[in-house]
Amino acid sequence: MNTRHRHHDSIPADPARRRFLAAGSLTVGFTLLPGATALAAQRSTEDAAPTAASATSTKLPGNLGSTPLLDAWIKIDEQGRITVCTGKAELGTGIRTAFIQIAAEELQVGPEDIHLVTADTGLTPNEGYTAGSHSTADSGTAILNAAAQVRQLLLQSAAGKLGVDVASLQAANGIINAPDGRKMDYGQAVSGLDLHRNAEPTSPLVDPARHRVIGQSMPRVDIPAKVTGGTSYVQDLRPLDMVHARAVRAPSYGARLVSVDSAAIEKMPGVIKVVRDGSYLAVVAHDEWQAIQAMRALAVAAKWEESAVLPAPDALYDTLLKMPAREIHVGERHGAAQPAVRTLQGRFTKPYLAHAAMGPSCAVAHMQQGKLTIWTHAQGVFPLRGGLAEMLGMKPEDIRCIHVPGAGCYGHNAADDAAADAALIARAVPGRPVRVQWMREQEHTWEPFGPAMVTDVKASLDASGHIVDWQYEIWSNSHNQRIDNAGRLIPATFLAQPFTPAPPKPIPMPEGGGDRNSVPLYNFPNFNIQHHFLPDMPVRVSAMRGLGAFMNVFTIESFMDELASAAGADPVEFRLRHLDDPRGRDVVQLASQRFGWDPQRKRQPGRGVGFSFAQYKNLMSYLAIAVELDVTPETGAVRILRVVAAVDCGQIVNPDGVRNQIEGGILQSASWTLYEQVRHDRTGIRSYDWSTYPIMRFSDVPLKVEVHLIDRPGAPFLGAGEASQGPASAALGNAIADATGQRLRNLPLAAGQRLREYAQA
C-alpha cells in the first residue's frame, strides 16, 4: 500500500475537460414513460468509505460481493458506448462525478465517454441505502474493480482477434493499440465477448502513479443544470398529462379521521377526485394551485379525534432518562494505570433536529396497466419498492422506483412518505402521472427527526495529566427507522387497514446508531461505554447525517478540552498526548499548523479558539478542525471568523468534491450546534416553518473556511460526507468556552438568552 502524502490546496481541472463539461456533453436525460427502455441516467451517490483498492483475498471488493456479475456494473455495446450502473443515489455530494472518474480511469477513457445510471430498481444493482458515507467505499470500489476487470477482458478479446500476446497491448481513450500499429476500438473488442460473468477477487488496477483522472478536481456534472434552471430535482418533473395532488395530514400523531364532508370540495374548479381510505385523505386536481385550495378546504371539513400526548418540553431530557431502555454494553478496556488524582463529570443534551430540506418532499407516480412507476428522491429505491409493494398489495416486480435528486436532504426525511402518497393517489387515478408535493408545514412537522439525546461522561486524570479512566453513557432512541416495512411509511399508518411500523432495532457497532463514535480513539487505559437504547419514541425519529456521531463527538471532544484545562495542558498537545493512531496525528498536526495554533495564546474575552478531532466511526475519514470566533456580550451573537480543517479520506477521487463535502458539513453542523431545535408541546410539533425552526443564515456563515487534504493514492476510499459533523460542533463549543469562560453543554449553544448571559458574565 502506498502511504505517501500528497497535500492538495488547489488542483486545477484539465481545461479541455472543463470546456467539455461546461458545454453540457455529460448532461443526462430520462423518460417519464414507464414503458420506455432506459432512463438515460440518474444520479450517483453519497460519499466515500473503506475497501481495498486492490483486492487480494477471495472476498470480492466492495459491493461486488452482493452483485458479482460484471455487466450489472459495466455495459459496453458494439458501438463502444459505455454505461456504468450504481445502486447509489446522488444526494448533492458529487459522487456521480466521482464514479464517472473512477470508471474512466480504469477503463482508460475520458470522463465524457462514461454514461452513468444510478439508483433505479429496473436498471441498477440493489445497493440498499445511500447512507453512512459508504457510497464510494462500497459502490465506488465495485465500479473500480469491475471496470479494471472489464478492461482486461477487452484486452484479452482483442489479443485473440489480433493474434498477439495480451501483454503487448495498450488501452487508451477507448482504443486498444498493438505494437505493430494495428488498432481496435472497444466496440470491436466487445463483439462476441460475454460480460455476463462473475467478478474475480483480484483486479488489474491502474497503478496510482499513472492516474490521470482519479485525484484531479473535475467539475461536478450535476451543477450546470442546478445553476441554470434546468431539470435537476424531482420537484422539477413535469411529464405529459400530469395531474397534481395534495394530502391532508392529520393534526397530530395517532389522530383518527372521524368524518369529512367532501361534496363541496369535489365540485371545486379543477378537482378530479377526493381520495379517502380510512384516515388517509387527499385530493387530485388539474393544476397545483387548485390542489392546494382543495387541500385547504378538505382540512377545514375534516373532523379528527386526537390522542397523542408528548413529553412536556421542559421535561424532555428527564423523560428520556426515565424511559424503559434496552441495555447495550458498547465496549470496555481494563489496563494498568497510575492512580487518579482528579475526576471530572458532565452531562450533555441534544434536542430533536429536523432535516428541514429546502425543497419540501415530492414524488411523481404513474399507474398504468397494473404497473407502477415512481420518481422519488428516497435514499433507498429498493427498500422503498418493498414497502410500497406491501402497502399496495402488489408484486415488487410490478413497481419501478427511480431516483431523482431532491432539493436538499442528508438522511431519512419525508421522501419515502411522499412516494407513498403518490403511489396511493396514482392507484386511485390510473393512467395519469400524479405529482405530490408536500407543503412546508407538512415537511417540518411530519418528517422523521434526528433523535434527542443525553450523554453522561466521567473521566479521571493522574498526576501527570493523563486520562486514566473514562466512563460514558448514552440515552437515545433509534437512529434508523428507514423502510423495513410498509408501517414505516406515514400514509400506510392512516389507512382503513393500517400497517404497524416495524419495531426499532439498534445498529450494531462499529457502525452504530446512537452509539456511533461513542468509543474514543484515544489511548485511555480504562474505559466503559454503555448505551441505553430507548425503543419507545415520543416523536417520529430516524436517520440524520452522522447519526449519533454528531452528539458523541461533541461530548467527547468538549470534555477533552475540559480535561486539558484541568491538566493545565494545551488542547492540541493534550490530544496528541492521548493519540497513537499515526493518521489521526497527521490531521491534528496539519490542522493546527495551518490554523497557526498558538499554545501560548492569552485568552481574550469575547474572542475564542477551539479545536476538535475524530475519525468517523473509528474506521472512516480522519478530520481535525480549528475554529476562531467572536461572541458579542450584549446579544450573545456568534460570529465565526475562520475555520481550518484537515482531512484524510484515503485515496481521493475528486479533491474539489471532498472539499465541498467537508465545507458543507461544517456549515450544517454549525447550524445544528448554534441554532437548531425542534419545538413541541404536549399535543404536537410546533416547529412548522423557518421562523419556528431557524437555521443558519448567510450572514452567519464563517468568514473563511479552509480545508486541507491528505491524499493517499492506492489506499482504500474513506467516507468524507459525514466526517465533519461531530468535530465541527465540538470545535465551536470549545471556542465559545474560550471566548466566554463558561462551558455550555446543552445544544443548541446560541439559543435563547443562555449564551448572552454567559458572555455578559
Side-chain angles (χ1 to χ4, degrees):
M1 180 181 296
N2 186 342
T3 57
R4 71 182 186 274
H5 292 36
R6 187 166 73 209
H7 298 296
H8 290 283
D9 286 320
S10 178
I11 300 178
D14 177 74
R17 189 183 302 123
R18 185 181 296 276
R19 288 194 298 272
F20 177 84
L21 290 167
S25 298
L26 275 175
T27 301
V28 295
F30 45 85
T31 174
L32 290 172
L33 300 176
T37 56
L39 163 81
Q42 237 84 36
R43 327 292 189 198
S44 138
T45 172
E46 186 173 56
D47 29 24
T51 41
S54 180
T56 57
S57 68
T58 57
K59 182 179 179 181
L60 293 177
N63 278 349
L64 286 175
S66 56
T67 307
L69 290 169
L70 291 176
D71 65 349
W73 303 91
I74 311 289
K75 298 175 175 64
I76 303 176
D77 65 21
E78 293 191 7
Q79 286 69 48
R81 291 185 292 254
I82 302 170
T83 301
V84 176
C85 297
T86 172
K88 299 296 185 179
E90 175 64 81
L91 308 179
T93 62
I95 292 302
R96 188 170 141 225
T97 307
F99 283 2
I100 289 171
Q101 291 180 255
I102 290 169
E105 187 70 75
E106 288 299 333
L107 289 170
Q108 295 291 284
V109 298
E112 65 273 13
D113 296 320
I114 302 296
H115 171 67
L116 187 71
V117 180
T118 71
D120 180 339
T121 60
L123 296 175
T124 66
N126 179 358
E127 295 192 81
Y129 289 101
T130 302
S133 295
H134 273 293
S135 295
T136 303
D138 297 344
S139 193
T141 299
I143 292 170
L144 180 86
N145 285 272
Q149 293 184 34
V150 167
R151 170 174 43 80
Q152 187 63 22
L153 289 170
L154 291 170
L155 289 169
Q156 291 172 357
S157 174
K161 292 176 179 180
L162 294 172
V164 299
D165 184 358
V166 66
S168 70
L169 298 178
Q170 297 290 329
N173 300 316
I175 302 295
I176 298 170
N177 299 284
D180 59 10
R182 287 181 294 167
K183 301 178 184 294
M184 179 177 290
D185 64 33
Y186 282 1
Q188 295 169 307
V190 82
S191 179
L193 176 62
D194 185 10
L195 296 180
H196 191 68
R197 65 176 73 190
N198 284 340
E200 299 292 334
T202 58
S203 304
L205 299 179
V206 173
D207 185 339
R210 295 177 49 231
H211 282 171
R212 299 178 300 107
V213 184
I214 289 178
Q216 300 301 308
S217 286
M218 174 175 154
R220 278 175 46 178
V221 297
D222 58 317
I223 296 299
K226 292 176 179 176
V227 299
T228 59
T231 301
S232 299
Y233 302 113
V234 66
Q235 287 91 344
D236 299 326
L237 301 186
R238 295 295 187 275
L240 187 66
D241 294 329
M242 184 183 79
V243 295
H244 294 265
R246 286 291 192 279
V248 176
R249 299 265 87 95
S252 61
Y253 296 132
R256 183 178 68 87
L257 182 60
V258 177
S259 66
V260 60
D261 183 357
S262 62
I265 290 91
E266 291 168 346
K267 296 176 182 177
M268 291 178 66
V271 170
I272 297 170
K273 189 178 184 69
V274 171
V275 179
R276 182 183 177 184
D277 184 339
S279 294
Y280 183 78
L281 189 61
V283 62
V284 189
H286 286 290
D287 71 40
E288 189 167 17
W289 180 238
Q290 291 169 339
I292 292 171
Q293 289 179 306
M295 175 204 68
R296 290 173 175 167
L298 264 180
V300 172
K303 307 299 180 185
W304 298 86
E305 178 180 278
E306 298 187 64
S307 59
V309 177
L310 300 182
D314 57 357
L316 171 61
Y317 303 114
D318 286 339
T319 300
L320 294 179
L321 293 170
K322 295 174 183 176
M323 290 176 67
R326 173 180 167 183
E327 297 299 331
I328 300 173
H329 188 229
V330 178
E332 62 185 351
R333 177 187 294 159
H334 300 287
Q338 295 297 313
V341 299
R342 185 171 182 184
T343 298
L344 278 68
Q345 187 167 2
R347 171 167 290 175
F348 297 75
T349 64
K350 165 187 170 286
Y352 294 108
L353 294 175
H355 296 88
M358 296 303 293
S361 295
C362 182
V364 177
H366 191 185
M367 179 73 82
Q368 192 174 39
Q369 297 178 345
K371 307 286 186 180
L372 178 66
T373 303
I374 294 183
W375 294 265
T376 170
H377 57 113
Q379 295 183 357
V381 290
F382 284 90
L384 173 62
R385 182 179 68 171
L388 294 177
E390 182 185 358
M391 180 182 75
L392 299 172
M394 295 177 64
K395 297 178 181 178
E397 56 267 29
D398 289 335
I399 301 174
R400 181 180 177 188
C401 294
I402 301 168
H403 181 270
V404 185
C409 172
Y410 289 126
H412 179 193
N413 71 340
D416 300 274
D417 302 313
D421 281 328
L424 287 167
I425 299 166
R427 182 176 64 175
V429 287
R432 300 285 296 273
V434 176
R435 179 182 183 273
V436 175
Q437 169 78 63
W438 279 34
M439 305 297 288
R440 170 55 56 195
E441 64 274 12
Q442 294 175 337
E443 184 79 18
H444 269 57
T445 57
W446 277 97
E447 65 148 285
F449 303 118
M453 295 177 65
V454 177
T455 55
D456 268 6
V457 58
K458 181 171 70 171
S460 299
L461 295 165
D462 66 14
S464 66
H466 285 79
I467 298 170
V468 293
D469 186 63
W470 180 275
Q471 304 292 317
Y472 193 77
E473 294 182 82
I474 309 154
W475 288 263
S476 176
N477 291 130
S478 168
H479 285 251
N480 183 7
Q481 290 295 99
R482 292 188 185 269
I483 312 307
D484 282 356
N485 75 334
R488 295 271 179 91
L489 299 164
I490 279 293
T493 65
F494 284 92
L495 299 176
Q497 295 183 342
F499 292 85
T500 301
K505 298 178 182 178
I507 303 172
M509 289 286 274
E511 294 284 334
D515 49 359
R516 179 174 291 181
N517 268 99
S518 60
V519 179
L521 198 65
Y522 299 110
N523 57 9
F524 304 154
N526 296 282
F527 66 74
N528 188 74
I529 317 293
Q530 188 72 20
H531 180 198
H532 309 285
F533 177 79
L534 310 177
D536 296 330
M537 296 167 286
V539 304
R540 189 185 186 208
V541 297
S542 191
M544 194 166 190
R545 193 178 190 183
L547 277 61
F550 168 70
M551 181 58 176
N552 289 320
V553 176
F554 172 73
T555 304
I556 292 168
E557 289 295 298
S558 295
F559 212 62
M560 285 294 286
D561 258 37
E562 294 192 49
L563 290 163
S565 177
D570 171 71
V572 172
E573 186 278 325
F574 188 74
R575 285 170 171 82
L576 292 172
R577 180 186 302 179
H578 293 90
L579 185 59
D580 296 330
D581 189 301
R583 293 173 72 170
R585 294 179 66 87
D586 283 349
V587 295
V588 169
Q589 290 166 341
L590 180 59
S592 60
Q593 174 194 354
R594 295 301 178 95
F595 183 79
W597 187 270
D598 181 7
Q600 306 302 318
R601 173 187 174 273
K602 302 300 182 184
R603 181 175 167 266
Q604 306 173 52
R607 172 71 60 91
V609 296
F611 197 88
S612 180
F613 157 79
Q615 182 190 14
Y616 187 46
K617 304 182 194 176
N618 288 5
L619 49 80
M620 290 186 167
S621 285
Y622 298 82
L623 187 135
I625 183 171
V627 171
E628 182 176 16
L629 54 74
D630 279 336
V631 178
T632 304
E634 292 77 13
T635 63
V638 176
R639 183 168 176 259
I640 305 173
L641 303 176
R642 62 189 180 111
V643 179
V644 176
V647 61
D648 174 356
C649 59
Q651 177 165 269
I652 295 173
V653 178
N654 186 337
D656 187 58
V658 173
R659 286 195 191 89
N660 292 166
Q661 283 309 287
I662 300 304
E663 291 169 0
I666 290 168
L667 266 61
Q668 184 180 46
S669 181
S671 184
W672 292 349
T673 304
L674 296 175
Y675 310 114
E676 296 186 37
Q677 60 180 325
V678 174
R679 299 187 181 277
H680 66 276
D681 58 22
R682 296 304 298 271
T683 59
I685 306 300
R686 293 295 171 252
S687 294
Y688 54 83
D689 62 9
W690 297 117
S691 64
T692 51
Y693 190 82
I695 63 173
M696 174 180 278
R697 298 179 178 271
F698 283 109
S699 58
D700 302 318
V701 169
L703 300 183
K704 185 178 182 180
V705 178
E706 297 177 21
V707 178
H708 300 280
L709 310 180
I710 299 176
D711 191 9
R712 300 187 186 273
F717 301 127
L718 300 178
E722 296 158 311
S724 52
Q725 303 306 114
S729 68
L732 284 167
N734 291 334
I736 288 172
D738 186 46
T740 63
Q742 300 289 333
R743 173 64 57 179
L744 301 182
R745 295 175 176 158
N746 303 307
L747 297 171
L749 302 181
Q753 303 299 313
R754 187 187 310 128
L755 186 52
R756 182 171 68 180
E757 293 167 359
Y758 279 125
Q760 289 175 338

